Amino acid sequence: MTDLAAGRPADRSNAPVLAVDIGGTKMAVGVVDTEGQVLVSDRTPTLVHPDDDAEAIWNRLRELCEKVLDAAGRPVVQGVGVGCGGPMQWPAGEVSPVNIVAWRGFPLRARLAEMFPDVPVRVHNDAVAVVAAEHWRGAGRGVENMLGMVVSTGVGGGLVLGGRLIDGGSGNAGHVGHVVADPNGPACGCGGRGCVEAIARGPALVEWSRAEGWRPDDPAADVRELAEDARAGDKIARETFERAGWALGVGIASAIALCDVDRVVIGGGVSQVGPLLFEPLERTMRTYARMEFTRRARIERPVLDQSAGMVGAASFILRGDRYWSAD
């Protein structure tokens, strides 16, 4: 285990942070300096075997942390920041990620605090970490009021108002994925109906397109193939992205009216299809965001690469005055 007490300097304000990014597919760990630069990082699959239990996943994460610290020369760190898929009990850091079935009420923060007993350990939603990163070092830099979204397996988000991350009562402020775009729309995993996430998340795109007759003999085809077919002119594929862009545009227009943001930064795997999604999204948003103050909001793509989750996790420690309110 890491012994942070050995050789600990009196002032750790210039020390790096151990940053952890946990999703359903992969776990990434990095050492991040005070300017938000990832110095050393590595990643591993979250699940190696479909029946991995909670301890197997934890041990994989623990070993990855040790491996990255070894690669960085065993630096003293000033804290541990974590972005993890939700839902979770925030700020306690007990996590129950939708896509990590073995972790239900898993005491992630407590486990990490046992490894790193002398420094703060802060755990927040992985989408919130990405939003914090883009606000600190990316497309939202210098913007006081911003909505960030991650459109991927789910649709997550986070909200910055007055230059500070807004958490809300349970840490879920800005979760635009569960704004209702269509009250008569499809059932959502949250128990509601017609949420933006139920229409625009990656698996929902494939499910809807298959119901409409797309690639009936190719059960392995995914969002990537769906995008390829849409670009090639496939009618169903194009309609799928039109529908997703419409749902996102409706949700964003509502969020802009409620929160009065200047910028909306949209990332995540599904967003990488580009104009297929963004053209109907912007068209729909402009249709519904008609008041003068809503019309000024601008849609942007992320600036940061796959390191955004780690940079955002580090910001919970390095820029706690802006991105952490629970201590």
Side-chain angles (χ1 to χ4, degrees), residues 3-207:
D3 182 3
L4 294 177
R8 185 176 66 226
D11 180 6
R12 283 178 279 178
S13 61
N14 292 319
V17 166
L18 187 69
V20 181
D21 179 20
I22 303 172
T25 302
K26 56 84 183 169
M27 297 187 287
V29 174
V31 173
V32 180
D33 71 13
T34 56
E35 297 302 313
Q37 299 298 313
V38 179
L39 304 176
V40 178
S41 68
D42 203 348
R43 63 182 58 209
T44 188
T46 304
L47 298 176
V48 172
H49 305 289
D51 58 351
D52 279 345
D53 63 14
E55 291 304 313
I57 299 168
W58 161 251
N59 286 331
R60 195 169 299 120
L61 176 61
R62 177 180 56 79
E63 291 166 4
L64 184 61
C65 290
E66 297 288 359
K67 180 181 178 183
V68 167
L69 286 169
D70 283 343
R74 306 302 297 187
V76 171
V77 297
Q78 62 171 292
V80 181
V82 185
C84 181
M88 69 179 63
Q89 294 294 320
W90 178 88
E94 293 184 1
V95 303
S96 303
V98 171
N99 297 309
I100 309 177
V101 176
W103 274 6
R104 287 294 171 268
F106 186 78
L108 179 60
R109 181 183 179 278
R111 289 293 189 89
L112 286 166
E114 289 175 4
M115 285 184 69
F116 304 94
D118 298 323
V119 297
V121 177
R122 296 171 176 172
V123 180
H124 216 318
N125 187 279
D126 57 351
V128 171
V130 171
V131 172
E134 285 293 333
H135 184 257
W136 178 29
R137 305 297 302 174
R141 194 170 184 175
V143 175
E144 287 293 292
N145 303 291
M146 170 188 137
L147 173 68
M149 297 179 66
V150 178
V151 185
S152 186
T153 305
V155 179
L159 185 63
V160 175
L161 295 179
R164 290 181 54 87
L165 181 71
I166 304 300
D167 295 302
S170 65
N172 287 292
H175 204 335
V176 70
H178 293 288
V179 170
V180 176
D182 179 5
N184 298 312
C188 182
C190 72
R193 184 169 291 279
C195 298
V196 171
E197 179 170 294
I199 299 170
R201 74 188 194 104
L205 303 187
V206 174
E207 181 180 351

Side-chain angles (χ1 to χ4, degrees), residues 211-261:
E212 295 297 309
W214 175 72
R215 291 208 188 190
D217 299 323
D218 188 1
D222 59 13
V223 172
R224 186 173 301 176
E225 284 82 15
L226 187 66
E228 290 174 357
D229 286 1
R231 294 188 188 100
D234 183 277
K235 183 175 182 293
I236 294 172
R238 292 194 68 86
E239 286 178 356
T240 301
F241 288 106
E242 283 280 336
R243 180 172 175 268
W246 167 82
L248 287 162
V250 169
I252 290 168
S254 299
I256 290 170
L258 182 65
C259 301
D260 193 12
V261 297

